[in-house]
Amino acid sequence: MQYADKMEDCGKALSELINLSTTDLSTQFEMKRGHIARFINRTTSDDSVKLRALAARRRSSTMHRDDSIPKSVGSNSSNSLTRSHIRSNAASDALEQSMADMKIKEGYVFKGIVAAEPAEPRACGCVNPPPPISDQVAPYGTVENISVQKLTPEYKIGMEPLVKTKAPPLKVSELWRDKPAVFLCLRRPGCIMCRAEAHQLYSRKAIFDALGVQLFAVLHEQIDSEVKDFWPRYWGGVVLLDRGRDFFKALGGGKLLKEKFLSGFLLNPRSLSNYKRAKAMHIDYNFKGEGEIKGGLFIIGMGKSGIAYQFIERNFGDWAPIAEVIEICTQMQNQQEGQRMSVQY
């Protein structure tokens, strides 16, 4: 409703507004990405708009192979939240039904949803925002062979001594071989905003357990004292070290997304707002370690089903919306259950 006055003043009918591209909605009405998704999918009077509808309407999976293999609803998700056009409702419903009857085959790599908060000019336009991010999901091949090292196990009483035990490096795709996984890529474990994000995500662990989804936190540098302060107080799950920073490079389309403290935080109203949000949670913090490399979040499906969701920290302290993360994981669980039932029958 906050955009209603501007929309009425433009003189366009509702059908015309719905068919506007995401770029037009953003520039003409200053609409935020999440609101664009809800507006485009508001085809009924129901106020509870599901991300599932967005995925069904935007689903146009891109293969990284030449062979054509059927697609399904879960891990292929949608094309991208920034796609310029949407399909008609009738075509979307037909497409959703046909996809629901198909089965994902191993070896097929899907495209997923890319999400990020907008970046605006800063200091009254004197400081430019960071360059646009790619709306293309990182290719599956860029993440499946990443080498990581477990710094901590999942927390249980008496587990603290195991943090001192060095685990050998492993191929990260081993972690999602049997279960889908969420990878939270953190700029710095001592950052108040990173700690707040980790805490609010891990506090929903019971939900992710019920959905059969694993949770991992990913760091790009190892400072033992910082790991000790971070785990298990703010994150009780497995903490991984990505020494080559390959997860972080994948978020930036092959290069690290970095920004200076002055322009990226002190002169950025969005980052300052994120800081105030974290500060309200009364979380301790420090300034140890590299803090300019931006993070994000990946949801990766079981086996080789691909990247279902990718969130990019465009402004320091941006969080992946927890409702979106849970919704994507719910879709993945529903897909797996549908596949099991089809095998039984």
Side-chain angles (χ1 to χ4, degrees):
M1 292 299 296
Q2 69 189 82
Y3 308 106
D5 292 339
K6 291 183 179 180
M7 288 183 170
E8 288 181 0
D9 293 340
C10 77
K12 290 186 172 67
L14 178 60
S15 59
E16 295 176 297
L17 292 171
I18 291 177
N19 285 303
L20 287 176
S21 68
T22 56
T23 302
D24 291 337
L25 290 171
S26 176
T27 55
Q28 293 182 30
F29 308 112
E30 299 180 353
M31 189 178 290
K32 297 180 180 179
R33 182 186 296 273
H35 296 162
I36 291 174
R38 295 184 183 94
F39 174 75
I40 290 176
N41 288 280
R42 189 174 292 279
T43 55
T44 68
S45 60
D46 184 5
D47 289 334
S48 176
V49 180
K50 300 293 185 180
L51 186 62
R52 185 180 298 109
L54 173 63
R57 295 192 182 109
R58 301 287 186 87
R59 193 175 298 112
S60 177
S61 301
T62 300
M63 293 184 294
H64 293 276
R65 291 176 172 237
D66 292 333
D67 52 336
S68 178
I69 300 177
K71 307 171 183 61
S72 179
V73 173
S75 58
N76 60 339
S77 301
S78 71
N79 191 4
S80 167
L81 291 183
T82 56
R83 186 174 175 178
S84 60
H85 299 287
I86 62 172
R87 295 190 176 97
S88 66
N89 294 338
S92 300
D93 294 340
L95 180 62
E96 181 178 13
Q97 182 60 43
S98 64
M99 288 181 174
D101 296 333
M102 295 180 180
K103 180 181 177 183
I104 289 181
K105 297 182 180 180
E106 286 294 315
Y108 180 59
V109 181
F110 294 98
K111 196 176 181 185
I113 296 174
V114 173
E117 296 291 339
E120 301 170 348
R122 303 157 189 179
C124 300
C126 297
V127 178
N128 292 325
I133 59 172
S134 172
D135 63 354
Q136 302 296 315
V137 176
Y140 179 72
T142 63
V143 299
E144 66 171 335
N145 295 316
I146 292 176
S147 176
V148 296
Q149 182 181 6
K150 286 187 179 181
L151 298 181
T152 72
E154 185 173 336
Y155 178 75
K156 294 180 182 178
I157 296 177
M159 279 284 194
E160 289 89 340
L162 294 179
V163 179
K164 299 179 182 179
T165 304
K166 290 187 177 181
L170 61 92
K171 186 178 177 181
V172 73
S173 57
E174 294 294 320
L175 299 177
W176 62 73
R177 180 175 56 187
D178 301 317
K179 284 185 177 181
V182 173
F183 293 88
L184 176 61
C185 303
L186 297 174
R187 278 187 300 108
R188 193 170 55 81
C191 168
I192 185 174
M193 296 176 286
C194 296
R195 287 180 172 183
E197 179 181 17
H199 175 71
Q200 62 90 27
L201 181 64
Y202 197 78
S203 66
R204 273 82 169 182
K205 182 179 183 298
I207 298 175
F208 290 104
D209 286 345
L211 295 173
V213 177
Q214 309 168 88
L215 296 176
F216 298 96
V218 183
L219 308 181
H220 58 72
E221 65 177 347
Q222 182 179 4
I223 303 176
D224 292 338
S225 61
E226 290 302 286
V227 175
K228 182 179 179 181
D229 289 343
F230 178 69
W231 181 94
R233 184 176 182 183
Y234 303 104
W235 179 270
V238 175
V239 177
L240 302 173
L241 174 63
D242 175 16
R243 199 177 299 275
R245 299 174 174 174
D246 295 309
F247 266 118
F248 297 84
K249 292 175 184 175
L251 287 167
K255 61 181 180 180
L256 294 174
L257 295 174
K258 300 182 67 175
E259 195 167 0
K260 296 297 182 180
F261 180 77
L262 177 62
S263 61
F265 181 72
L266 295 179
L267 298 178
N268 187 350
R270 286 186 177 273
S271 294
L272 293 175
S273 177
N274 291 337
Y275 169 77
K276 292 178 182 178
R277 174 179 60 177
K279 187 72 172 177
M281 298 173 66
H282 305 289
I283 291 176
D284 294 331
Y285 61 97
N286 60 57
F287 295 96
K288 297 178 183 178
E290 161 61 57
E292 296 180 353
I293 298 175
K294 295 181 180 179
L297 181 142
F298 286 102
I299 302 177
I300 302 180
M302 181 180 65
K304 294 186 177 181
S305 53
I307 299 173
Y309 181 85
Q310 175 178 327
F311 181 87
I312 300 171
E313 183 188 22
R314 195 170 190 189
N315 308 283
F316 289 143
D318 286 347
W319 298 353
I322 190 65
E324 288 185 3
V325 174
I326 292 175
E327 180 62 28
I328 293 293
C329 293
T330 301
Q331 292 182 30
M332 296 170 69
Q333 184 200 44
N334 292 339
Q335 176 199 2
Q336 292 172 17
E337 291 178 352
Q339 289 179 351
R340 284 194 291 267
M341 292 179 63
S342 64
V343 170
Q344 290 176 358
Y345 289 103

